[in-house]
Amino acid sequence: MMFHHPPSRIRAILLALLVTFLWSTSWILIKIGLKDVPALTFAGLRYMLAFLILIPFSIQPAHRKAIREMKPSIWGKLVLLGILLYGVAQGAQYIGLDRLPSTSVSLLLNLTSPVVALLGIQLLKENLSRRQWLGVLFNLAGVLVFFGPVQFPASQIWGMVIVVIGMLANSLGAILSRGINRTRQVSPTLVTTICMGIGAVLMLGGGIITEGIPRMTIPVWGIIAWLALVNTALAFTLWNYTQQTLTAMESTIINSTMLIQIAILSWIFLQESLSGMEILGMILAAAGAVLVQLRNHASNNQA
């Protein structure tokens, strides 16, 4: 997969929305797969297979040349990104989905938006306009309205701690990923392959050591293969590509629309009904996402 030019703003937004749709379908498939495969091993198999799929695209002459010329500082950032965004964040998400209801996991992960907004200002100097801050507040309000008063029993404390750690790792990963991709010094394909390989080794190695080697059915292998090829190898590469154009905050807010997409998919495929408050929350969250995207689009038109 070669990306010679950064995407236009509209194309980046549309591609990012496509990626979030693919990731939203992952939640349903993960819940099915976790019935037969332990969480960390499941995540490790998915990302290791995706890494193997990406290798042929990453050893083309142009990419081999880029790898040879890559500075140690860039390698250090890619290793750290692999640990944070894959090894910790994705591993924690799988463990969280195994221990907590999906709604609780989604609520905690949606706290990423304000964390990324604050970190982006400090570390990337990507300031938000008043309209964008309003969008962040709308988005967060929509999440809180959608979930309402979520209760966490004492038995779920450790699951909460794991998901919060994953949320913080994901927030730091979003900042680091934007910092790497906005320089356009490394191809999105290489960023995805290198970071994913590091995270996959950590997850699969940790899973086999702590959970053992599971026996898996053909349907489960089918789920892992689909997740690896489409929802991981393709989706994460496209996501890194969009970050050449979109700021960390804009990417995170688009990512938060998964709340709406997961709810709709659950309604269609799992027959889970939506209350009036949940629909209101989805509208507020969507409005917030639109407000965050409007500022720079207007600025671009004026430039």
Side-chain angles (χ1 to χ4, degrees):
M1 287 176 276
M2 300 293 292
F3 300 93
H4 300 290
H5 304 287
S8 66
R9 181 168 179 75
I10 294 299
R11 188 183 181 195
I13 292 173
L14 292 176
L15 284 174
L17 286 170
L18 171 62
V19 171
T20 59
F21 170 74
L22 294 174
W23 286 344
S24 296
T25 64
S26 296
W27 281 56
I28 295 175
L29 296 173
I30 290 170
K31 273 294 189 182
I32 296 172
L34 285 173
K35 295 177 182 178
D36 299 309
V37 186
L40 205 54
T41 303
F42 188 179
L45 286 170
R46 169 188 174 180
Y47 287 97
M48 180 57 72
L49 181 56
F51 167 65
L52 296 175
I53 291 170
L54 284 170
I55 287 178
F57 299 98
S58 302
I59 58 175
Q60 297 177 14
H63 288 149
R64 292 202 302 271
K65 181 175 183 293
I67 291 173
R68 289 193 300 269
E69 296 175 352
M70 208 176 294
K71 297 179 180 179
S73 59
I74 298 296
W75 274 109
K77 291 178 181 179
L78 291 175
V79 170
L80 181 58
L81 182 59
I83 294 171
L84 288 173
L85 201 57
Y86 294 95
V88 179
Q90 296 300 319
Q93 178 179 315
Y94 270 74
I95 296 173
L97 285 170
D98 192 39
R99 298 189 178 198
L100 301 174
S102 298
T103 53
S104 300
V105 176
S106 185
L107 173 61
L108 292 170
L109 291 180
N110 270 282
L111 298 177
T112 300
S113 299
V115 175
V116 169
L118 296 173
L119 290 176
I121 293 172
Q122 295 297 319
L123 300 178
L124 297 176
K125 309 305 179 185
E126 293 182 346
N127 296 317
L128 276 67
S129 67
R130 291 182 180 178
R131 180 179 293 174
Q132 286 185 305
W133 274 116
L134 184 62
V136 172
L137 293 176
F138 264 75
N139 186 264
L140 189 57
V143 171
L144 296 176
V145 168
F146 180 89
F147 290 107
V150 178
Q151 296 181 347
F152 294 97
S155 60
Q156 296 182 356
I157 293 298
W158 281 113
M160 289 173 53
V161 171
I162 290 170
V163 175
V164 169
I165 291 173
M167 181 273 292
L168 294 174
N170 190 52
S171 300
L172 290 170
I175 296 297
L176 184 57
S177 179
R178 167 59 176 168
I180 293 171
N181 285 296
R182 72 175 178 178
T183 66
R184 300 166 190 170
Q185 293 179 335
V186 186
S187 161
T189 303
L190 284 182
V191 173
T192 307
T193 305
I194 294 170
C195 297
M196 190 174 293
I198 293 167
V201 169
L202 292 174
M203 286 186 283
L204 186 57
I208 291 175
I209 292 171
T210 60
E211 301 166 342
I213 301 176
R215 293 182 179 179
M216 298 194 301
T217 62
I218 292 178
V220 172
W221 273 116
I223 289 175
I224 292 175
W226 175 266
L227 289 174
L229 176 61
V230 180
N231 294 23
T232 306
L234 174 63
F236 275 92
T237 302
L238 289 176
W239 187 256
N240 281 315
Y241 179 51
T242 65
Q243 286 194 315
Q244 291 186 345
T245 300
L246 301 176
T247 68
M249 184 68 253
E250 291 164 345
S251 296
T252 301
I253 287 292
I254 290 177
N255 197 9
S256 72
T257 63
M258 286 176 59
L259 163 71
I260 302 169
Q261 299 178 57
I262 291 170
I264 294 174
L265 288 171
S266 297
W267 174 61
I268 295 173
F269 294 104
L270 303 179
Q271 287 74 53
E272 294 182 3
S273 60
L274 292 170
S275 67
M277 291 298 290
E278 288 174 328
I279 293 174
L280 174 61
M282 290 166 59
I283 293 172
L284 287 172
V290 171
L291 284 172
V292 168
Q293 303 302 327
L294 283 178
R295 195 282 304 251
N296 280 348
H297 184 58
S299 299
N300 288 346
N301 287 340
Q302 294 169 358

